[in-house]
Structures are given as structure tokens and as C-alpha cells.
Amino acid sequence: MSNKNLTISFLGIGLMGLPMCTNIAKAGFAVKAFNRNIEKLNALKEFGVNTCNTLQEAVSETDIIITMLSDDEAVLDVLNQIIKLDYKKNSIFIDMSSIKFSTAKKIHDITKQNNLRYVDAPVSGGPEGAKSASLAIMAGGEQLDFDDCHDVLKTMGNPTLVGPSGSGQVAKLCNQIIVGVTIGAVAEAIILCEATGADPTKFIQAVAGGFADSKILQNHGNRMVAKDFAPRGKTHTHLKDMNNIIECAKDYQTELPISNLIQKMYQSLVNAGLGDNDHSSLYKEILKLNKRGI
Amino acid sequence: MSNKNLTISFLGIGLMGLPMCTNIAKAGFAVKAFNRNIEKLNALKEFGVNTCNTLQEAVSETDIIITMLSDDEAVLDVLNQIIKLDYKKNSIFIDMSSIKFSTAKKIHDITKQNNLRYVDAPVSGGPEGAKSASLAIMAGGEQLDFDDCHDVLKTMGNPTLVGPSGSGQVAKLCNQIIVGVTIGAVAEAIILCEATGADPTKFIQAVAGGFADSKILQNHGNRMVAKDFAPRGKTHTHLKDMNNIIECAKDYQTELPISNLIQKMYQSLVNAGLGDNDHSSLYKEILKLNKRGI
């Protein structure tokens, strides 16, 4: 495919989809956008995006169809509608939503039976990363299909092909293992500082640049010290991720003991009504185990 | 104290002590060095270090006495010898060894009773960090004492006062919590990639720069992918750290569930005869739980 001539359908204009779609249009690609709530499309008009009133209008005659939707059901629902509509055969269906590996495999089968090429490409980096076009984009699929949509993905961040179909979703799960477990590690370090009378803020400064340092230490760690649990990433969302991780691992006869423990801790927080807290609230869960509050 | 006129005793010329002592001498301080095995002192002569045949010779008339020794017993033993010798009253005893918080508190009492000021200042960064004078130096003690030895510590890396006496050792333990747990997180992510057919090397590349990224992911993660468990940090050393973490937490009525789990995993590796493997061998432990070998 020759690049800037590609036409794109973008489906799902939410907190992430809006800046992602904007960045594709800004790069000069012809984009048609659709959203269930049509009013959200208005913000795209100034970037020359063709906003559509129907899904049919959005997917007809485009080379790449991108979905950025809330969950597995939404992606399956939209895909099952598309295959009954008029769309260009052999076009690429890129699902950038974060969904289960098992759902990605279902989508693989549906697209194959309906003359669509499929790339799964979930992202990490949040709305800030979406705005600044610096998302980590973890892709799964055929090398040729990845190559054919690389320039479009590149407008939203840094795409890497991690393996065969579904591997993007696996990589996203693995990303969430590391984020969740590292939050737990930082929480225990800060709690030990506080228990013994060391200054946790000075601790974070002292180890900066060393092997214990990370964005999680500098960001989530300082939130714990400040007792600031306003949500950037929500606890119930991370619980959903941990559930998907354990389910995916089980499908491959694999047990992950540390992830299991973190899943139980997030479940306990959600059970206690703290699901809307920031995912750094593992700190609260460990204090709760120690019969301390904050 | 006026700075470059300070005289330093450096006790313990091993893998870490040798480059640390060298860096102090290179910065222009007058240094006297002593080691139980006297032959190891020879390497210091070219940097103008005054190598001593006895502990008495090394500690007489110096402003700062630094110890960099293998364990709690060695530090207590040397300190108990020093207090029977002739040394300058009100000089600063800096212990840079990694020892227990409870031992640091004993040393605090001994130094106080013997006209010595005490700063605990363990380090992170290994022999490479020692050579390049980029160690993270985590200090505990009085602000005035820290200020008085800051310029000397600075020649070896980046010193930060984390809190009152013993807080340096607490910070080192907290550093090891984060390192150990993050190794476990990375191991589970790589095992899930391998189980599902995603490429773990590509995964590590894909998430670089995001919230899951860290030196542990880039270093220990790639060692796991390569099945390279040649020791940089040893499993039995990290087990000792985890034991000290749990003991210290218990002394403050604190339970750390994730650290407990990692301690059990390191203990199981040591029980299986893998204590001399790199501490990234948590990867092997998780495979073992899944009845897989490598």
C-alpha cells in the first residue's frame, strides 16, 4: 500500500480515541470517524476528519478500520455489524482496545472468515500518551499486515510487532503485570520507611537512577507518600487486567504466583468499595492487612 | 570541618572498597587504608593512599573512619577493636556496609558511648557504580554529621540523608524490596509471553519508555530471555536481604505480603542449590512451580 493515500475508518471517539484519531488526521491521512454518541465527533471536524452518521458510511471504501472501544463486547459487537455491511475486501481491521487474549483469537477467526486482515494493537500510555503521540503500541499479527499499517500506527506512538495474532493483547497484559506488581513493591518500601522513621520522599530521591528506580516509584510512590489516591488508573480497571492475566495464563496451564497475590489485593480493595481509587491504593490494602488506616 | 584537609581511614578493601577508597584518594583527601588481608592494599599505593599494617596505625588521628565490610559481625568486630585503640574523639564513623537495621542501632549506641559520631551509609550500584563514582549512597544520622562528611561521600556517588540513625540501612532494604519484587514481576511477564507464543524480546522493546519499563526489565529481563543466570547479584545474597527486610518489618509490627512471597521463592531456590545463580533466577522458580525446567 502506498502510504499517505491510505484511507482510514476510526471507530470509538472517547478519551483515548479522540486524540489518537486527531493525530492520524494531522499526519495527512484521509480519516472517516464514527461513534455511537455522534456528538463526540464534532471535536474532530477542525482536523478535516469526515464525521459519519452511520457505521456503514464510516467503513465503506477504506483501507484500514481502527477500533478503540471500551471492552470485549463492544469490539465483537462492532465487528459483527461490520461484516454484514459493505466494506473493502482485504482491508486491515486494527483493534487498539485492551481486550482478552481469548477474544482476540475469536476476532482473528471472524476476520479471517470475512476477508479482513487483522492486527491487534492495544496501547499503553494513557490520555497523555495519546495526546503527545507517544503511546507504546503493542501489535500482534502477520509481518506484512503490520508493515502495511505501520505508518498509520506511527502517527499515534511507537508500534512494535510482538508476535502472531493476539500477541499485542498478551504484551498489554504483561505490561499490566509489571505495573501492578511494581506498585505493590513500591507500597511495601514506603510502608517500611514510614514504620521505621525513615523519610520516604528522601528514600525515593536517594535511589533515583539506580536499579530500584522507575516511573512507578517516582509517580505512584510520591502519590502514596502524599496520600493522594485520586484516580489516574483506577483500581477496578487494574483488577479487570489482573483477572484477564490469570485467565490467560490458565488457558496455557501457567500459574503466576505474584500476579495471583496482586489480583487478590485488588479484589479486596474493590470489595471494600475502593474500586474508584487510583491503582496505587495497593498501599492502602497493605496498611489494612496491618490493621492500620490512613 | 574544612574539607580537603580532612583525613580519612578506609577499612575493608574488597570488590567495593577498593574503587571507593581509590575515588576518595583521587579527589585529594589524605587516606589511610587497612585490610585484614594486607596484600589487597597494594593496588592503592599508586593513588597516594597510606597503606597501614595495623588497625591502630589506620585509625589514629583521622577525622573520618569508613568501614566497607562483608557483614554485621565484621563491622561490630572492627568497631569493638577501634574503641579500645587510640583514635580522635568526636571523629565520624561511617559504616557503608549493608547490615541489619537492628545492628545499625547497636552501632549507634556503641559509638555514642565512645565519643564517635555515626553515619550509616550503605550503597547501591555494585562494583560498576563504585568504579564510576555513581553509587546511590543512602545515609542515616544527624544532619550536622552528614553535612560534615558530605564532600567525602560525594567522591563515591550521590549521597542522600534519608532520616535518623539507621535510616540508610532501611533505605537499602527498601531498595532491595523493589529490586526483588520487580525481578519477580518481569519473570512472570516473560513467562506469559513465552507460554502464549509472543516474543519476549519484542515485548521488552515494545514497552520501553512506558510505565512498565525499568533497568530491571532491560537488564534482568533480557538475561531471563537469554537463560543467562551467571551471577551479577547472587540469589543467596538477595535471600539474606529479604530475610533482613522481613525481620526489620516484624520489629515494627509490620507484615509485607509481597516481600514474604519473594522471600519464600528465593529460599526455595537456595534450598534447590541455586544460591549462586543470578537473582534473576526467580524466573526459574516460577517455571519450577509450573513443573517446567529450562
Side-chain angles (χ1 to χ4, degrees):
Chain A
M1 292 190 186
S2 76
N3 283 326
K4 288 288 154 80
N5 299 325
L6 290 175
T7 56
I8 320 291
S9 310
F10 202 106
L11 313 177
I13 305 302
L15 207 60
M16 295 293 290
L18 177 61
M20 290 164 72
C21 181
T22 301
N23 284 327
I24 302 174
K26 275 182 176 171
F29 290 99
V31 185
K32 293 198 283 180
F34 178 71
N35 196 59
R36 208 166 37 176
N37 176 345
I38 287 178
E39 284 187 4
K40 291 203 176 166
L41 296 169
N42 291 331
L44 289 167
K45 286 179 179 162
E46 63 175 303
F47 302 103
V49 173
N50 183 352
T51 58
C52 301
N53 291 314
T54 65
L55 185 58
Q56 174 61 78
E57 199 186 326
V59 301
S60 70
E61 291 302 317
T62 59
D63 303 299
I64 292 176
I65 300 169
I66 297 176
T67 47
M68 187 62 187
L69 299 164
S70 55
D71 56 29
D72 299 53
E73 290 65 36
V75 180
L76 282 172
D77 179 49
V78 164
L79 177 59
N80 282 322
Q81 288 182 58
I82 292 170
I83 56 175
K84 290 177 201 136
L85 299 173
D86 185 29
Y87 59 89
K88 200 190 263 189
K89 301 305 160 196
N90 209 33
S91 56
I92 306 178
F93 179 76
I94 310 177
D95 177 36
M96 304 189 74
S97 326
S98 288
I99 59 168
K100 292 183 186 184
F101 183 44
S102 55
T103 305
K105 293 204 285 184
K106 275 183 211 163
I107 293 174
H108 175 82
D109 293 341
I110 296 171
T111 50
K112 209 159 193 187
Q113 290 153 14
N114 288 278
N115 287 305
L116 284 164
R117 298 149 74 191
Y118 170 48
V119 173
D120 59 297
V123 303
S124 172
E128 284 311 311
K131 275 175 206 147
S132 59
S134 64
L135 294 168
I137 302 172
M138 298 156 270
E142 300 289 329
Q143 183 74 52
L144 176 70
D145 299 340
F146 176 74
D147 291 344
D148 281 347
C149 61
H150 180 272
D151 289 353
V152 174
L153 292 175
K154 188 76 193 158
T155 66
M156 294 176 276
N158 304 303
T160 307
L161 184 65
V162 180
S165 192
S167 293
Q169 298 298 347
V170 170
K172 177 69 191 278
L173 294 180
C174 291
N175 187 82
Q176 294 306 87
I177 289 175
I178 296 176
V179 171
V181 175
T182 307
I183 288 173
V186 167
E188 294 200 350
I190 287 173
I191 286 168
L192 188 58
C193 281
E194 291 175 336
T196 57
D199 181 334
T201 303
K202 295 283 182 186
F203 162 70
I204 292 172
Q205 290 165 10
V207 301
F211 275 112
D213 199 11
S214 65
K215 287 194 183 177
I216 300 289
L217 179 66
Q218 299 296 333
N219 286 273
H220 300 68
N222 279 311
R223 285 180 216 164
M224 294 174 203
V225 177
K227 318 305 168 213
D228 170 11
F229 299 101
R232 283 76 159 186
K234 286 190 179 177
T235 291
H236 67 69
T237 309
H238 216 120
L239 173 60
K240 188 195 79 176
D241 293 336
M242 297 310 300
N243 287 336
N244 287 344
I245 287 158
I246 288 163
E247 184 185 311
C248 175
K250 271 212 181 108
D251 287 346
Y252 288 82
Q253 292 77 48
T254 301
E255 205 194 322
L256 303 174
I258 313 169
S259 297
N260 280 344
L261 175 59
I262 300 296
Q263 186 273 344
K264 285 195 186 81
M265 294 169 81
Y266 275 127
Q267 183 69 63
S268 169
L269 285 163
V270 168
N271 293 349
L274 300 174
D276 280 331
N277 273 212
D278 190 69
H279 56 161
S280 59
S281 60
L282 286 180
Y283 172 89
K284 285 188 183 180
E285 177 64 16
I286 297 163
L287 284 190
K288 191 153 64 87
L289 284 173
N290 283 286
K291 317 239 183 293
R292 286 173 219 157
I294 60 165
Chain B
M1 294 185 182
S2 76
N3 283 326
K4 287 287 154 79
N5 298 325
L6 291 175
T7 55
I8 319 292
S9 310
F10 201 107
L11 313 176
I13 305 300
L15 207 58
M16 295 292 291
L18 177 60
M20 289 164 71
C21 182
T22 301
N23 284 326
I24 302 174
K26 276 184 179 170
F29 291 97
V31 185
K32 294 198 283 181
F34 178 73
N35 196 59
R36 211 166 36 179
N37 176 346
I38 287 178
E39 286 187 3
K40 291 205 176 165
L41 295 169
N42 291 332
L44 288 167
K45 286 179 178 160
E46 62 175 305
F47 303 103
V49 173
N50 182 353
T51 58
C52 301
N53 291 315
T54 64
L55 186 58
Q56 174 62 79
E57 199 184 327
V59 301
S60 71
E61 291 301 317
T62 59
D63 303 299
I64 292 176
I65 300 168
I66 296 176
T67 47
M68 186 62 189
L69 300 164
S70 55
D71 56 29
D72 299 53
E73 291 64 35
V75 180
L76 281 171
D77 179 49
V78 164
L79 177 60
N80 283 322
Q81 289 183 58
I82 292 171
I83 56 174
K84 291 176 201 135
L85 299 172
D86 185 29
Y87 59 91
K88 199 190 267 189
K89 300 305 159 195
N90 209 33
S91 58
I92 305 177
F93 179 76
I94 309 178
D95 177 36
M96 304 189 74
S97 326
S98 288
I99 60 167
K100 291 183 189 186
F101 183 46
S102 56
T103 306
K105 292 203 287 183
K106 276 184 211 160
I107 294 175
H108 174 83
D109 293 342
I110 297 170
T111 51
K112 209 159 192 186
Q113 290 153 15
N114 288 280
N115 287 306
L116 283 164
R117 297 149 74 193
Y118 170 47
V119 173
D120 58 298
V123 303
S124 171
E128 284 311 310
K131 274 174 207 148
S132 59
S134 64
L135 293 168
I137 303 173
M138 296 156 273
E142 301 289 329
Q143 183 72 53
L144 176 70
D145 300 339
F146 176 74
D147 291 345
D148 280 347
C149 62
H150 181 272
D151 290 353
V152 175
L153 292 175
K154 187 77 194 157
T155 67
M156 295 175 276
N158 304 302
T160 306
L161 184 65
V162 180
S165 190
S167 294
Q169 297 299 346
V170 170
K172 177 70 191 277
L173 294 180
C174 291
N175 187 82
Q176 294 306 88
I177 290 176
I178 296 177
V179 171
V181 175
T182 306
I183 288 173
V186 168
E188 294 200 351
I190 286 172
I191 286 169
L192 188 58
C193 281
E194 291 176 336
T196 57
D199 182 333
T201 303
K202 295 283 181 186
F203 162 70
I204 292 172
Q205 291 166 8
V207 301
F211 275 111
D213 199 12
S214 66
K215 285 193 183 176
I216 301 289
L217 179 67
Q218 299 296 333
N219 287 274
H220 300 67
N222 279 311
R223 285 180 216 164
M224 295 175 202
V225 176
K227 317 303 168 216
D228 169 10
F229 298 100
R232 284 75 160 188
K234 285 190 181 176
T235 291
H236 66 69
T237 310
H238 216 121
L239 174 61
K240 188 194 79 175
D241 293 336
M242 297 311 300
N243 287 336
N244 287 344
I245 287 157
I246 287 161
E247 185 185 310
C248 175
K250 272 213 180 105
D251 287 345
Y252 288 82
Q253 292 76 50
T254 300
E255 205 194 319
L256 303 175
I258 313 170
S259 297
N260 279 345
L261 175 60
I262 300 296
Q263 186 274 345
K264 286 196 186 83
M265 293 169 80
Y266 276 127
Q267 183 69 64
S268 170
L269 285 163
V270 169
N271 292 350
L274 300 175
D276 280 332
N277 273 213
D278 190 68
H279 55 162
S280 59
S281 61
L282 286 181
Y283 172 90
K284 285 188 183 178
E285 176 63 17
I286 297 165
L287 284 190
K288 191 153 64 84
L289 284 173
N290 283 287
K291 317 236 183 296
R292 287 172 218 158
I294 61 165

